[in-house]
Amino acid sequence: MRMIKQFRSKIREINQRYAKPKIEMSRGVSFSLAVLRIYLFLLVILMIYKFITVIKVF
């Protein structure tokens, strides 16, 4: 149990350290990352839809 708590605290420490990016991004990079995030989100939705429709067949 102690090992799990140490692991969690280490992960929280790492997440807090890298929560805010230390580099500046141009508008083009920010836009590209936003488009990529939306694209990946749509892919996940499509995969979930396909999974549900395949399950309904059986």
Side-chain angles (χ1 to χ4, degrees):
M1 192 68 154
R2 180 179 171 181
M3 196 166 152
I4 294 173
K5 288 182 182 180
Q6 288 176 342
F7 185 68
R8 283 184 189 169
S9 66
K10 188 66 174 176
I11 290 176
R12 285 186 187 132
E13 177 187 333
I14 292 170
N15 285 339
Q16 288 175 353
R17 185 182 313 152
Y18 296 107
K20 296 181 181 177
K22 296 180 182 179
I23 59 171
E24 293 183 25
M25 295 185 283
S26 67
R27 287 183 181 169
V29 171
S30 296
F31 177 74
S32 297
L33 289 174
V35 170
L36 180 61
R37 187 176 293 159
I38 293 168
Y39 173 71
L40 292 174
F41 183 70
L42 290 174
L43 282 178
V44 169
I45 291 173
L46 185 62
M47 288 173 49
I48 292 170
Y49 172 75
K50 180 67 175 175
F51 180 74
I52 290 171
T53 55
V54 168
I55 287 177
K56 285 185 179 181
V57 171
F58 294 111

Coordinates of all heavy atoms in Angstrom, one line a residue:
M1 N 0.8 -1.2 0.0 CA 0.0 0.0 0.0 C 0.9 1.3 0.0 O 0.5 2.2 -0.7 CB -0.9 0.0 1.2 CG -2.0 1.0 1.2 SD -3.1 0.6 -0.1 CE -4.6 1.3 0.5
R2 N 1.9 1.2 0.8 CA 2.8 2.4 0.8 C 3.5 2.6 -0.5 O 3.7 3.8 -1.0 CB 3.9 2.1 1.9 CG 4.9 3.3 2.0 CD 5.8 3.0 3.1 NE 6.9 4.0 3.1 CZ 7.9 4.0 3.8 NH1 8.1 3.1 4.8 NH2 8.8 5.0 3.7
M3 N 3.8 1.6 -1.2 CA 4.4 1.7 -2.5 C 3.5 2.4 -3.5 O 3.9 3.2 -4.3 CB 4.8 0.3 -3.0 CG 5.7 0.2 -4.2 SD 6.3 -1.5 -4.2 CE 6.7 -1.6 -5.9
I4 N 2.2 2.1 -3.5 CA 1.2 2.7 -4.4 C 1.1 4.2 -4.0 O 1.0 5.0 -5.0 CB -0.2 2.0 -4.2 CG1 -0.1 0.5 -4.7 CG2 -1.3 2.7 -5.0 CD1 -1.3 -0.3 -4.5
K5 N 1.1 4.5 -2.8 CA 1.0 6.0 -2.4 C 2.2 6.7 -2.9 O 2.1 7.9 -3.4 CB 0.8 6.1 -0.9 CG -0.5 5.7 -0.4 CD -0.6 5.9 1.1 CE -2.0 5.5 1.6 NZ -2.1 5.7 3.0
Q6 N 3.4 6.1 -2.8 CA 4.6 6.8 -3.3 C 4.5 7.0 -4.8 O 4.9 8.0 -5.3 CB 5.8 6.0 -2.9 CG 6.2 6.0 -1.4 CD 7.3 5.1 -1.1 OE1 7.7 4.2 -1.9 NE2 7.9 5.4 0.1
F7 N 4.0 5.9 -5.5 CA 3.9 6.0 -6.9 C 2.9 7.1 -7.3 O 3.2 7.9 -8.2 CB 3.4 4.6 -7.4 CG 3.4 4.5 -8.9 CD1 4.5 4.6 -9.7 CD2 2.1 4.4 -9.6 CE1 4.4 4.5 -11.1 CE2 2.1 4.3 -11.0 CZ 3.2 4.4 -11.7
R8 N 1.8 7.2 -6.6 CA 0.8 8.3 -6.9 C 1.4 9.7 -6.7 O 1.2 10.6 -7.5 CB -0.4 8.1 -6.1 CG -1.4 7.0 -6.5 CD -2.6 7.0 -5.6 NE -3.4 5.9 -5.9 CZ -4.4 5.5 -5.2 NH1 -4.7 6.2 -4.1 NH2 -5.1 4.5 -5.5
S9 N 2.1 9.8 -5.6 CA 2.7 11.1 -5.3 C 3.8 11.5 -6.3 O 3.9 12.7 -6.7 CB 3.3 11.1 -3.9 OG 4.4 10.3 -3.8
K10 N 4.5 10.5 -6.8 CA 5.5 10.8 -7.8 C 4.9 11.2 -9.1 O 5.3 12.2 -9.8 CB 6.4 9.5 -8.0 CG 7.6 9.8 -8.9 CD 8.5 10.7 -8.3 CE 9.8 10.8 -9.1 NZ 10.7 11.8 -8.6
I11 N 3.8 10.6 -9.5 CA 3.1 10.9 -10.7 C 2.5 12.3 -10.6 O 2.6 13.1 -11.5 CB 2.0 9.9 -11.0 CG1 2.6 8.6 -11.5 CG2 1.0 10.4 -12.1 CD1 1.6 7.5 -11.7
R12 N 1.9 12.7 -9.4 CA 1.3 14.0 -9.2 C 2.4 15.1 -9.3 O 2.2 16.1 -9.9 CB 0.7 14.1 -7.8 CG -0.7 13.4 -7.8 CD -1.4 13.6 -6.5 NE -2.6 12.8 -6.4 CZ -2.9 12.1 -5.4 NH1 -2.2 12.0 -4.3 NH2 -4.0 11.4 -5.5
E13 N 3.6 14.8 -8.7 CA 4.7 15.7 -8.8 C 5.1 16.0 -10.2 O 5.4 17.1 -10.6 CB 5.9 15.1 -8.0 CG 7.1 16.0 -8.0 CD 8.3 15.3 -7.4 OE1 8.1 14.4 -6.5 OE2 9.5 15.6 -7.8
I14 N 5.2 14.9 -11.0 CA 5.6 15.0 -12.4 C 4.6 15.8 -13.2 O 4.9 16.7 -14.0 CB 5.9 13.6 -13.1 CG1 7.1 13.0 -12.4 CG2 6.0 13.7 -14.6 CD1 7.3 11.6 -12.8
N15 N 3.3 15.5 -12.9 CA 2.2 16.2 -13.6 C 2.2 17.7 -13.3 O 2.0 18.6 -14.2 CB 0.8 15.6 -13.3 CG 0.6 14.3 -14.0 OD1 1.3 14.0 -15.0 ND2 -0.3 13.5 -13.5
Q16 N 2.5 18.1 -12.1 CA 2.5 19.5 -11.7 C 3.7 20.2 -12.3 O 3.6 21.3 -12.7 CB 2.6 19.6 -10.1 CG 1.3 19.3 -9.4 CD 1.4 19.3 -7.9 OE1 2.5 19.4 -7.4 NE2 0.3 19.1 -7.2
R17 N 4.8 19.5 -12.4 CA 6.0 20.1 -13.0 C 5.8 20.4 -14.5 O 6.3 21.5 -14.9 CB 7.2 19.1 -12.8 CG 8.5 19.8 -13.3 CD 9.7 18.8 -13.2 NE 9.7 18.1 -11.9 CZ 10.2 16.9 -11.8 NH1 10.8 16.2 -12.8 NH2 10.2 16.3 -10.6
Y18 N 5.1 19.6 -15.2 CA 4.9 19.8 -16.6 C 3.5 20.2 -17.0 O 3.1 20.1 -18.2 CB 5.3 18.5 -17.4 CG 6.7 18.1 -17.2 CD1 7.1 17.0 -16.4 CD2 7.7 18.8 -17.8 CE1 8.4 16.7 -16.2 CE2 9.0 18.5 -17.7 CZ 9.4 17.4 -16.9 OH 10.7 17.1 -16.7
A19 N 2.8 20.8 -16.1 CA 1.4 21.2 -16.3 C 1.4 22.4 -17.3 O 0.5 22.5 -18.1 CB 0.7 21.5 -15.0
K20 N 2.3 23.3 -17.1 CA 2.3 24.5 -18.0 C 3.6 24.4 -18.9 O 4.7 24.2 -18.4 CB 2.4 25.7 -17.2 CG 1.2 25.9 -16.3 CD 1.2 27.2 -15.5 CE 0.0 27.4 -14.7 NZ 0.1 28.6 -13.8
P21 N 3.3 24.5 -20.2 CA 4.5 24.4 -21.1 C 5.4 25.6 -20.9 O 5.0 26.7 -20.6 CB 3.9 24.4 -22.5 CG 2.5 24.9 -22.3 CD 2.1 24.6 -20.9
K22 N 6.7 25.3 -21.1 CA 7.7 26.4 -20.9 C 8.2 27.0 -22.2 O 9.1 27.8 -22.2 CB 8.9 25.8 -20.1 CG 8.6 25.3 -18.7 CD 9.7 24.7 -18.0 CE 9.3 24.3 -16.6 NZ 10.4 23.7 -15.9
I23 N 7.6 26.6 -23.3 CA 7.9 27.1 -24.6 C 6.7 27.9 -25.1 O 5.6 27.6 -24.8 CB 8.4 26.0 -25.6 CG1 7.2 25.0 -25.8 CG2 9.6 25.3 -25.1 CD1 7.5 24.1 -26.9
E24 N 7.0 28.9 -25.9 CA 5.9 29.6 -26.6 C 5.6 29.0 -27.9 O 6.5 28.6 -28.6 CB 6.4 31.1 -26.7 CG 6.5 31.8 -25.4 CD 6.9 33.3 -25.6 OE1 6.5 33.8 -26.7 OE2 7.5 33.8 -24.7
M25 N 4.3 29.0 -28.2 CA 3.9 28.4 -29.5 C 3.3 29.5 -30.4 O 2.6 30.4 -29.9 CB 2.9 27.3 -29.3 CG 3.4 26.1 -28.6 SD 2.1 24.8 -28.5 CE 1.1 25.5 -27.2
S26 N 3.6 29.4 -31.6 CA 3.0 30.4 -32.6 C 1.5 30.0 -32.8 O 1.0 29.0 -32.4 CB 3.7 30.3 -33.9 OG 3.5 29.1 -34.5
R27 N 0.8 30.9 -33.4 CA -0.6 30.7 -33.6 C -0.8 29.5 -34.6 O -1.7 28.7 -34.4 CB -1.3 31.9 -34.3 CG -1.5 33.0 -33.3 CD -2.2 34.2 -34.0 NE -2.4 35.3 -33.1 CZ -2.7 36.5 -33.4 NH1 -3.0 36.7 -34.7 NH2 -2.9 37.4 -32.5
G28 N 0.1 29.3 -35.5 CA 0.0 28.2 -36.4 C 0.1 26.8 -35.7 O -0.6 25.9 -36.0
V29 N 1.1 26.8 -34.8 CA 1.3 25.6 -34.0 C 0.1 25.3 -33.1 O -0.4 24.2 -33.0 CB 2.6 25.6 -33.2 CG1 2.7 24.5 -32.3 CG2 3.8 25.7 -34.1
S30 N -0.4 26.3 -32.5 CA -1.6 26.1 -31.6 C -2.8 25.7 -32.4 O -3.5 24.8 -32.0 CB -1.9 27.5 -30.9 OG -0.8 27.8 -30.0
F31 N -3.0 26.3 -33.6 CA -4.1 25.9 -34.4 C -3.9 24.4 -34.9 O -4.9 23.7 -34.8 CB -4.2 26.8 -35.6 CG -5.3 26.5 -36.6 CD1 -6.6 26.7 -36.3 CD2 -5.0 25.8 -37.8 CE1 -7.6 26.4 -37.1 CE2 -6.0 25.5 -38.7 CZ -7.3 25.8 -38.3
S32 N -2.7 24.1 -35.3 CA -2.5 22.7 -35.7 C -2.8 21.7 -34.6 O -3.4 20.6 -34.9 CB -1.1 22.5 -36.2 OG -0.8 23.4 -37.3
L33 N -2.3 22.0 -33.4 CA -2.6 21.1 -32.3 C -4.0 21.0 -32.0 O -4.5 19.9 -31.6 CB -1.8 21.6 -31.1 CG -0.3 21.4 -31.2 CD1 0.4 22.0 -30.0 CD2 0.1 19.9 -31.3
A34 N -4.8 22.1 -32.1 CA -6.2 22.1 -31.8 C -6.9 21.2 -32.9 O -7.8 20.4 -32.5 CB -6.8 23.5 -31.8
V35 N -6.5 21.4 -34.1 CA -7.1 20.6 -35.2 C -6.8 19.1 -35.0 O -7.7 18.2 -35.2 CB -6.6 21.0 -36.6 CG1 -7.0 20.1 -37.7 CG2 -7.2 22.4 -36.9
L36 N -5.6 18.8 -34.6 CA -5.2 17.4 -34.4 C -6.0 16.8 -33.2 O -6.4 15.7 -33.2 CB -3.7 17.3 -34.1 CG -3.1 15.9 -33.8 CD1 -3.3 15.0 -35.0 CD2 -1.7 16.0 -33.4
R37 N -6.2 17.6 -32.2 CA -7.0 17.1 -31.0 C -8.4 16.8 -31.4 O -9.0 15.8 -31.0 CB -7.0 18.2 -29.9 CG -7.6 17.8 -28.6 CD -7.5 18.8 -27.6 NE -6.0 19.0 -27.2 CZ -5.5 20.1 -26.7 NH1 -6.3 21.1 -26.4 NH2 -4.3 20.1 -26.4
I38 N -9.0 17.7 -32.2 CA -10.4 17.4 -32.7 C -10.4 16.2 -33.6 O -11.3 15.4 -33.5 CB -10.9 18.7 -33.5 CG1 -11.1 19.8 -32.5 CG2 -12.2 18.4 -34.2 CD1 -11.3 21.2 -33.1
Y39 N -9.4 16.0 -34.5 CA -9.4 14.9 -35.3 C -9.3 13.6 -34.5 O -10.0 12.6 -34.8 CB -8.2 15.0 -36.3 CG -7.9 13.8 -37.1 CD1 -8.7 13.5 -38.2 CD2 -6.8 13.0 -36.9 CE1 -8.5 12.4 -39.0 CE2 -6.5 11.9 -37.7 CZ -7.3 11.6 -38.7 OH -7.1 10.5 -39.5
L40 N -8.4 13.6 -33.5 CA -8.3 12.4 -32.7 C -9.6 12.1 -31.9 O -10.0 10.9 -31.8 CB -7.1 12.5 -31.8 CG -5.7 12.5 -32.5 CD1 -4.6 12.8 -31.4 CD2 -5.5 11.2 -33.2
F41 N -10.2 13.1 -31.4 CA -11.5 13.0 -30.7 C -12.5 12.3 -31.7 O -13.3 11.4 -31.3 CB -12.0 14.3 -30.2 CG -13.2 14.3 -29.4 CD1 -13.2 13.7 -28.2 CD2 -14.4 14.8 -29.9 CE1 -14.4 13.6 -27.4 CE2 -15.6 14.7 -29.2 CZ -15.6 14.2 -28.0
L42 N -12.6 12.8 -32.9 CA -13.6 12.2 -33.9 C -13.2 10.8 -34.2 O -14.1 10.0 -34.4 CB -13.6 13.1 -35.1 CG -14.2 14.5 -35.0 CD1 -14.1 15.3 -36.3 CD2 -15.7 14.4 -34.6
L43 N -12.0 10.5 -34.3 CA -11.6 9.1 -34.5 C -12.0 8.2 -33.4 O -12.5 7.0 -33.6 CB -10.1 8.9 -34.7 CG -9.5 9.4 -36.1 CD1 -8.0 9.2 -36.0 CD2 -10.1 8.5 -37.2
V44 N -11.9 8.6 -32.2 CA -12.3 7.8 -31.0 C -13.8 7.7 -31.0 O -14.3 6.5 -30.8 CB -11.9 8.5 -29.7 CG1 -12.5 7.8 -28.5 CG2 -10.4 8.4 -29.5
I45 N -14.6 8.7 -31.3 CA -16.0 8.6 -31.4 C -16.4 7.6 -32.5 O -17.3 6.8 -32.3 CB -16.6 10.0 -31.7 CG1 -16.5 10.9 -30.5 CG2 -18.1 9.9 -32.1 CD1 -16.9 12.3 -30.7
L46 N -15.7 7.7 -33.7 CA -16.0 6.7 -34.7 C -15.7 5.3 -34.3 O -16.5 4.4 -34.6 CB -15.2 7.1 -36.0 CG -15.4 6.3 -37.2 CD1 -16.8 6.5 -37.7 CD2 -14.4 6.7 -38.3
M47 N -14.7 5.1 -33.6 CA -14.3 3.7 -33.1 C -15.4 3.2 -32.2 O -15.8 2.0 -32.2 CB -13.0 3.7 -32.5 CG -11.8 3.8 -33.5 SD -10.2 4.0 -32.7 CE -10.2 2.7 -31.5
I48 N -15.9 4.1 -31.3 CA -16.9 3.7 -30.3 C -18.2 3.4 -31.0 O -18.9 2.4 -30.7 CB -17.1 4.8 -29.3 CG1 -15.9 4.9 -28.4 CG2 -18.4 4.6 -28.4 CD1 -15.9 6.1 -27.4
Y49 N -18.5 4.2 -32.0 CA -19.8 3.9 -32.8 C -19.7 2.6 -33.5 O -20.6 1.8 -33.5 CB -19.9 5.1 -33.8 CG -21.0 4.8 -34.8 CD1 -22.4 4.9 -34.5 CD2 -20.7 4.4 -36.1 CE1 -23.4 4.7 -35.4 CE2 -21.8 4.2 -37.0 CZ -23.1 4.3 -36.7 OH -24.1 4.0 -37.6
K50 N -18.5 2.3 -34.1 CA -18.3 1.0 -34.8 C -18.4 -0.1 -33.9 O -19.1 -1.2 -34.2 CB -17.0 1.1 -35.6 CG -16.7 -0.2 -36.3 CD -17.6 -0.4 -37.5 CE -17.2 -1.6 -38.3 NZ -18.1 -1.9 -39.4
F51 N -17.8 0.0 -32.7 CA -17.9 -1.0 -31.7 C -19.3 -1.3 -31.3 O -19.8 -2.5 -31.2 CB -17.0 -0.6 -30.5 CG -17.0 -1.6 -29.4 CD1 -16.3 -2.8 -29.5 CD2 -17.7 -1.4 -28.2 CE1 -16.3 -3.7 -28.5 CE2 -17.7 -2.3 -27.2 CZ -17.0 -3.5 -27.4
I52 N -20.1 -0.3 -31.1 CA -21.5 -0.4 -30.6 C -22.3 -1.1 -31.8 O -23.1 -2.0 -31.5 CB -22.1 0.9 -30.2 CG1 -21.4 1.4 -28.9 CG2 -23.6 0.9 -30.1 CD1 -21.8 2.8 -28.5
T53 N -22.1 -0.7 -33.0 CA -22.9 -1.2 -34.1 C -22.5 -2.7 -34.3 O -23.4 -3.5 -34.7 CB -22.7 -0.5 -35.4 OG1 -21.3 -0.4 -35.7 CG2 -23.3 0.9 -35.3
V54 N -21.3 -3.1 -34.1 CA -20.9 -4.5 -34.2 C -21.5 -5.3 -33.1 O -21.9 -6.4 -33.3 CB -19.3 -4.6 -34.2 CG1 -18.9 -6.1 -34.1 CG2 -18.8 -4.0 -35.5
I55 N -21.6 -4.8 -31.9 CA -22.2 -5.5 -30.8 C -23.7 -5.7 -31.0 O -24.2 -6.8 -30.7 CB -21.9 -4.7 -29.5 CG1 -20.5 -4.8 -29.1 CG2 -22.8 -5.3 -28.4 CD1 -20.1 -4.1 -27.8
K56 N -24.3 -4.7 -31.6 CA -25.8 -4.9 -31.8 C -26.1 -5.9 -32.8 O -27.2 -6.5 -32.8 CB -26.4 -3.5 -32.3 CG -26.5 -2.5 -31.2 CD -27.2 -1.3 -31.7 CE -27.3 -0.2 -30.6 NZ -28.0 1.0 -31.1
V57 N -25.2 -6.3 -33.7 CA -25.4 -7.3 -34.7 C -25.6 -8.7 -34.0 O -26.4 -9.5 -34.4 CB -24.3 -7.3 -35.8 CG1 -24.4 -8.5 -36.7 CG2 -24.3 -6.1 -36.6
F58 N -24.8 -8.9 -33.0 CA -24.8 -10.2 -32.3 C -25.9 -10.2 -31.3 O -26.6 -10.3 -30.7 CB -23.5 -10.5 -31.6 CG -22.4 -10.7 -32.6 CD1 -21.4 -9.8 -32.7 CD2 -22.4 -11.8 -33.4 CE1 -20.3 -10.0 -33.6 CE2 -21.3 -12.0 -34.3 CZ -20.3 -11.1 -34.4

